[in-house]
Amino acid sequence: MHASVRLVNFLAALGAFAAIGCTGTIPGGPGGNGNNNGNTDPTKPDPTKPDPTKPDPMRPTPPAPAGTTASAAPLRRLNADQYRNTVADLLGIKDAVPASALPADESIDDRFISNVVRPVQGVDVERYGDAAEALARTAVMNLNGLMGCDPAGGGEQACVAKFIESFGKRAYRRPLTQPEIDRAKALYTKGRMGADAANGVRLVVQAMLQSVNFLYMFEPAPANSTGKVVAIDPWAMASRLSYFFLNSMPDAELFTAAESNQLSTAEQVAAQANRLVSSSRFLDTLGNFHDQWLELSDLKAAEKDDKLFPTWNDALRTALREETRQFVAYVLRQGDGKLETLIDAKFSMLSGPLFDHYGVAKPAGGTEWTKVDLKPGERAGLLTQAGLMASLAREDRTSYIRRGKLVRDGFLCTKVPDPPPGVDASEATIPATTDARERAKLHRTKPECAACHELFDPLGFAFEKYDAVGKYRTMENGKVIDTSSAITATTSLNGSVKDAVELAQKLASSDEVRNCIARQWMRFGLGREESPDDDASLTATMKGFEASGYKLADLVISLAKSDTFRYQKVKP
Amino acid sequence: MNYLRTLERGKIGNKRSPSRRQLLKALGVGAAAAPLIPALDGWAQGNAASGPPRLLLLFTPDGIVPDKWYPTGSETAWNFPAGGICEPLNKHKGDMIFFKDIPRFNGGSGGAHEHAMGGLWTGNSISGNQGMAPSVDQIIAQKLPKVTDFQSMQFGVAPFFNAGDANAKSTSVNSYMIYSAPKAKIPAEGDPYKMFDRLFGGGFMAPMAGGSPSAPNPMMERVRAEKQSIIDYVTGEITDVKLRVGKEDGTKIDAHLETVRDIERRLTSSGSKTVSAGCSPGTKPGMIDLNNNSCHPLLMPIVNKMVAAAFACDRTRIASLQYSRGFSNTVHSWVGAKATHHTLSHGTQNAGVLADIQHWYFGHIAQLIDELKAVQEGGKPMLDNMLVVYGNEVYLGWTHGVSPEPTFWMGKLGGMVPNTGRFIDAGGKWNWNQMLTTIARAMGVMVDKVGDLGTPGIIPNLLKA
């Protein structure tokens, strides 16, 4: 039995119709007196045919110019952050759904949060359902504001029709098709029966927020084109840009650009990317990138042994995490915007408890987040910031392993395999009083461990002067700390370094590192791992990056206008 | 939305056994539909009258205090240490098998806590801080046929509590102990209000209070009809989308559709098939601020009751109950704790208060067991048809070592676990992976080994020959 018939019978059986005056039905819905099926009205456009003046999300996208290479893009489902940001933009309701009430996110390369591999499980869809209901009920409390018209003002049908088309377009990030409009109208009618307009609208909002069209980022491709390279259609392109730069749904400008087909050429996309990089919202994205790239999200919950580190508390933790965000924002907006500065700066942004933590005087008149020169020879850029050092450490001791591994896979893009099964990597049995090199020796007695640890342990030793809360120190257990080390297994950086400051200096001007960071931004920006089909785009991105003197803003803009960002290889 | 809920005054269910006729009425089906309700039956094993077998995994965090934990005595004559953690379970000793010295291994890259949570019920190495295999309950859930509306359920008390930050941008991996596949974390539901709706708010109609015949509730029917029309909408959209995507995306969409169909099935299934006489949803909880540390004690009995009701009403037969989370941020101020459980767990000098915290949890575990025993099935307590397994993500908080695993069993699993009331000092002879394998076998899932650590095989003399 057809679902809607079943529903009507169901209600009828309950005698529910007795109380229902069938007001508020709209054309296209069951029980309505309109009839779109035959489309007998010659003045109305035929909904089964696309409007040639507008880009049609269902219409085949043009093939790419010969020689264009682009990677296939796995279907992305909104992650918790994107979901929260999107509903905030869509409904104007902030923080209504905590991340913990949404499905657990995946990450690509154990680093960047993106739901591209695992299909949803039962409980995930239940959670989307619960969230949608809570949001929809809140949204209809301001019904006229939500709808942009007053359904009680005499024109309910027109108001609802207008709402469905405009809200639907923003929710699905593309115009609705006629069958979709009809489906939403039918749902409104069901919700309206025996209840008020708000209830009908609530059902529509609740259903749209659970639709796959809202939850996933579809990037349509023509049929029978598997393996071919085709353009990303303007609506999907608007989403690619907005979820990259704003981590949310497209803003008004992107909608306008998509509507008028202004997201096709590299120049058009670059213009939008330029605008988005300059927007204040991009700073949040910049912070998110660094949070995920540098694994700083662990810092929030990082506990430290309070006997060893009595100053460690929530205020310090929060300030340390914010420091990195403030620092990258400063470099981008007020500083020279260069990658080199991010990696090698001799200053940072400090506030509150951080002056004591770094052992520098608070400048006179300095208030919140002041640019401060750090003690010469102690620090250099992101890698030596106290928050990162505290995050990549254990409760009571440093972790040369995690620090070295971040340099190895985060800055040099060398994939380090997991330890073989059955290896206890928890260090639970190693005494806390041993120093890093002694621990490494104990750790590497097994030859199957030594080979990989050789890749990152020596890099980690360079950071031993930053203790488990990131404070600078020169002694440990009564001995002077030796941070001298040797870089191996790189294409251009091999050789000795005396400490992390020197290491940072080397990294800052290395093409290997620049390439790797462009790769990291590509993973973050596209929410997927790169493939060989991305090589040409990475080369092009690097060209733009280099031409700017390695400025971060130019890196992300070059990435956005690269072929792999604007085209896709059609998946099977 | 803050998490302050308004109290909903629902009907209070009672423990009286409804007649079949009343049950059918309550389920909202007429006499004609009666043959569709199958006779009460077992699941994989067990006899028809006694109720189906069930599994409950039980968790408290951050390690135990050995001298307040281990019993002394022989296998059959043993006692908990006086004033110890398990003292509240004294009255349930006869239902227990208490294990000592079951080594647990860990492997893979990640922090100590992450190893602990991702490895606990999976018995597997981790990668990128996450479990890399299904946990034992999910191995069982994936193998056994679907006979209840929920193949498995994950209950929690403050499983995501993050020092009160309701809007934390991301969740910690330490909040997850259940995995359906590598890195596929299944969250515990920490909101009892939502959990109640999920269990009893959709298609399920409980036997009515007082046994009086009741008319269908038009409000409930309206809610159900609206849910159905949303499902119709959502499935309609999926059908459209399917026509426009390729095989690769289609697989993901199919998985999505399948979960929506499951929800629909629950909505239209008129509830369970094997409702125990003690089935009583109780009242919908309310007025609980989930982000308030001091509300945690309030949540414990509510969630316990819901777990018992879920089993009694046969909403599921496989569940986990996670009190707090690994790396617990709860401050158990009601037992005198002045810092988070995790922070305290790092210091041997805090052994006293750490034992007090666990003692407090075990008081609630004892209450849960009371609830499970209060439900009668074929003249026997429901616990007799259950296997309850306790685990903690670490052994000692101050080393974060995971071995040996502090664990015990409760219940006879319908006769599959014939001899309870025992204290087994395993002396390291059997390991945690063998324990997990034994659990799977007990539930009728014939695996040789659970997880990539430890050794294959089962612990002898626990299961019916």
Side-chain angles (χ1 to χ4, degrees), chain B residues 395-426:
Chain B
Y395 167 56
L396 294 177
W398 41 89
T399 64
H400 280 35
V402 300
S403 188
E405 176 64 26
T407 184
F408 58 82
W409 285 12
M410 296 193 93
K412 292 181 192 295
L413 196 59
M416 179 53 76
V417 182
N419 301 314
T420 56
R422 299 157 75 192
F423 165 48
I424 296 177
D425 186 345

Side-chain angles (χ1 to χ4, degrees), chain B residues 306-330:
Chain B
M306 222 176 273
V307 171
F311 281 122
C313 299
D314 208 25
R315 306 302 289 139
T316 191
R317 294 177 186 176
I318 300 166
S320 53
L321 172 53
Q322 182 183 328
Y323 292 137
S324 189
R325 45 173 268 201
F327 205 121
S328 172
N329 274 320
T330 300

Side-chain angles (χ1 to χ4, degrees), chain A residues 3-4 6-7 10-11 14 20 58 73-76 80-81 84 94-107 110 113 115-128 130 133-134 137 172 174 177 179-180 183-184 187 190-195 199 202-204 206-208 210-213 215-216 218 221 284 288 297-298 300-303 306-307 325 394-395 418-426 428 571-572, chain B residues 1 3 105-115 125-130 132 150 154 160 162-163 165-172 176 179-190 194 197-198 216 218 221-230 232-234 236-238 240-241 244-249 251-253 255-257 259-260 262-264 266 268 325 327-329 339-340 342-343 346-347 349 399-401 452-453:
Chain A
S4 61
R6 184 170 60 207
L7 174 88
F10 195 23
L11 290 175
L14 297 172
I20 296 172
M58 306 305 150
L75 179 61
R76 281 193 282 173
D81 252 16
R84 283 157 50 81
K94 270 205 163 150
D95 289 340
V97 180
S100 61
L102 292 167
D105 286 325
E106 311 167 47
S107 51
D110 293 328
I113 298 166
N115 297 323
V116 286
V117 178
R118 186 174 61 73
V120 288
Q121 6 186 24
V123 67
D124 296 341
V125 174
E126 300 251 11
R127 287 179 160 231
Y128 283 137
D130 289 345
E133 178 166 0
R137 286 189 188 278
Y172 292 1
R174 56 159 176 82
T177 63
E180 285 167 343
R183 185 180 291 122
L187 185 62
K190 283 177 193 166
R192 179 72 171 86
M193 260 194 293
N199 195 57
R202 195 256 305 167
L203 278 198
V204 170
Q206 194 172 329
M208 283 185 174
Q210 292 174 70
S211 167
V212 289
N213 290 309
L215 297 170
Y216 296 81
F218 290 104
D284 197 38
N288 286 345
S297 9
D298 295 352
K300 190 165 172 17
E303 295 267 6
D306 53 6
K307 283 204 305 272
R325 290 183 164 255
R394 297 182 185 278
E395 288 89 352
D418 277 328
V423 173
D424 185 347
S426 67
K571 287 170 297 198
Chain B
M1 182 176 63
Y3 263 56
F105 308 105
N106 63 23
S109 65
H113 286 278
E114 291 78 8
H115 270 285
S125 307
I126 63 162
S127 175
N129 289 335
Q130 304 194 66
M132 290 301 288
F150 298 91
Q154 292 72 37
F160 292 97
N162 194 2
D165 184 357
N167 284 305
K169 279 206 152 196
S170 56
T171 54
S172 164
Y176 303 91
Y179 285 80
S180 64
K183 298 190 179 182
K185 307 182 281 286
I186 306 187
E189 181 55 72
K194 277 186 194 159
D197 267 353
R198 202 164 292 168
E221 294 307 333
R222 169 106 202 174
V223 168
R224 202 202 301 219
E226 285 184 348
K227 283 187 177 172
Q228 180 64 56
S229 49
I230 287 177
D232 292 342
Y233 178 97
V234 169
E237 301 256 295
I238 293 175
D240 281 2
V241 162
R244 304 198 307 264
V245 298
K247 211 174 82 195
E248 211 176 293
D249 293 352
T251 311
K252 286 182 189 172
I253 297 306
H256 196 113
L257 179 62
T259 66
V260 176
D262 277 348
I263 296 170
E264 182 174 32
R266 292 196 278 274
T268 52
R325 45 173 268 201
F327 205 121
S328 172
N329 274 320
T340 69
H342 170 254
T343 301
H346 275 274
Q349 74 277 16
T399 64
H400 280 35
D452 68 351
L453 302 167

Side-chain angles (χ1 to χ4, degrees), chain B residues 17-42:
Chain B
S17 166
S19 72
R20 185 169 171 80
R21 183 183 56 84
Q22 285 162 349
L23 180 64
L24 293 178
K25 261 207 184 308
L27 292 170
V29 291
L36 293 176
I37 308 244
L40 300 181
D41 59 359

Side-chain angles (χ1 to χ4, degrees), chain B residues 107-421:
Chain B
S109 65
H113 286 278
E114 291 78 8
H115 270 285
M117 285 306 268
L120 174 58
W121 302 113
T122 64
N124 209 86
S125 307
I126 63 162
S127 175
N129 289 335
Q130 304 194 66
M132 290 301 288
S135 46
V136 64
D137 58 311
Q138 294 305 303
I139 291 174
I140 296 165
Q142 287 160 13
K143 285 275 160 62
L144 293 183
K146 287 185 181 181
V147 290
T148 53
D149 279 353
F150 298 91
Q151 186 69 350
S152 73
M153 300 204 85
Q154 292 72 37
F155 294 87
V157 172
F160 292 97
F161 184 66
N162 194 2
D165 184 357
N167 284 305
K169 279 206 152 196
S170 56
T171 54
S172 164
V173 72
N174 295 309
S175 288
Y176 303 91
M177 62 177 194
I178 303 299
Y179 285 80
S180 64
K183 298 190 179 182
K185 307 182 281 286
I186 306 187
E189 181 55 72
D191 184 341
Y193 193 90
K194 277 186 194 159
M195 198 52 150
F196 188 91
D197 267 353
R198 202 164 292 168
L199 277 167
F200 303 115
F204 184 79
M205 300 286 278
M208 295 313 252
S212 59
S214 60
N217 175 344
M219 279 298 288
M220 281 292 290
E221 294 307 333
R222 169 106 202 174
V223 168
R224 202 202 301 219
E226 285 184 348
K227 283 187 177 172
Q228 180 64 56
S229 49
I230 287 177
I231 286 174
D232 292 342
Y233 178 97
V234 169
T235 50
E237 301 256 295
I238 293 175
T239 311
D240 281 2
V241 162
K242 266 284 279 180
L243 296 172
R244 304 198 307 264
V245 298
K247 211 174 82 195
E248 211 176 293
D249 293 352
T251 311
K252 286 182 189 172
I253 297 306
D254 283 341
H256 196 113
L257 179 62
E258 198 183 316
T259 66
V260 176
R261 291 284 182 222
D262 277 348
I263 296 170
E264 182 174 32
R265 195 164 45 80
R266 292 196 278 274
L267 205 55
T268 52
S269 76
S270 297
S272 67
K273 298 162 183 73
T274 319
V275 181
S276 140
C279 166
S280 158
T283 46
K284 196 167 178 172
M287 287 302 280
I288 300 160
D289 183 351
L290 300 176
N291 298 308
N292 185 337
N293 185 80
S294 65
C295 291
H296 292 183
L298 200 63
L299 288 163
M300 303 284 290
I302 291 172
V303 175
N304 283 349
K305 270 186 196 301
M306 222 176 273
V307 171
F311 281 122
C313 299
D314 208 25
R315 306 302 289 139
T316 191
R317 294 177 186 176
I318 300 166
S320 53
L321 172 53
Q322 182 183 328
Y323 292 137
S324 189
R325 45 173 268 201
F327 205 121
S328 172
N329 274 320
T330 300
V331 180
H332 299 80
S333 49
W334 45 90
V335 297
K338 295 195 165 51
T340 69
H341 190 177
H342 170 254
T343 301
L344 292 172
S345 78
H346 275 274
T348 48
Q349 74 277 16
N350 301 321
V353 70
L354 288 170
D356 290 346
I357 291 170
Q358 294 296 354
H359 184 276
W360 174 78
Y361 276 120
F362 275 70
H364 287 286
I365 290 176
Q367 183 242 334
L368 168 72
I369 302 298
D370 286 339
E371 301 271 356
L372 299 176
K373 280 182 168 179
V375 178
Q376 292 291 306
E377 288 180 339
K380 283 185 178 167
M382 183 170 71
L383 181 69
D384 280 5
N385 289 319
M386 299 184 65
L387 178 61
V388 181
V389 183
Y390 170 82
N392 194 308
E393 93 278 26
V394 289
Y395 167 56
L396 294 177
W398 41 89
T399 64
H400 280 35
V402 300
S403 188
E405 176 64 26
T407 184
F408 58 82
W409 285 12
M410 296 193 93
K412 292 181 192 295
L413 196 59
M416 179 53 76
V417 182
N419 301 314
T420 56

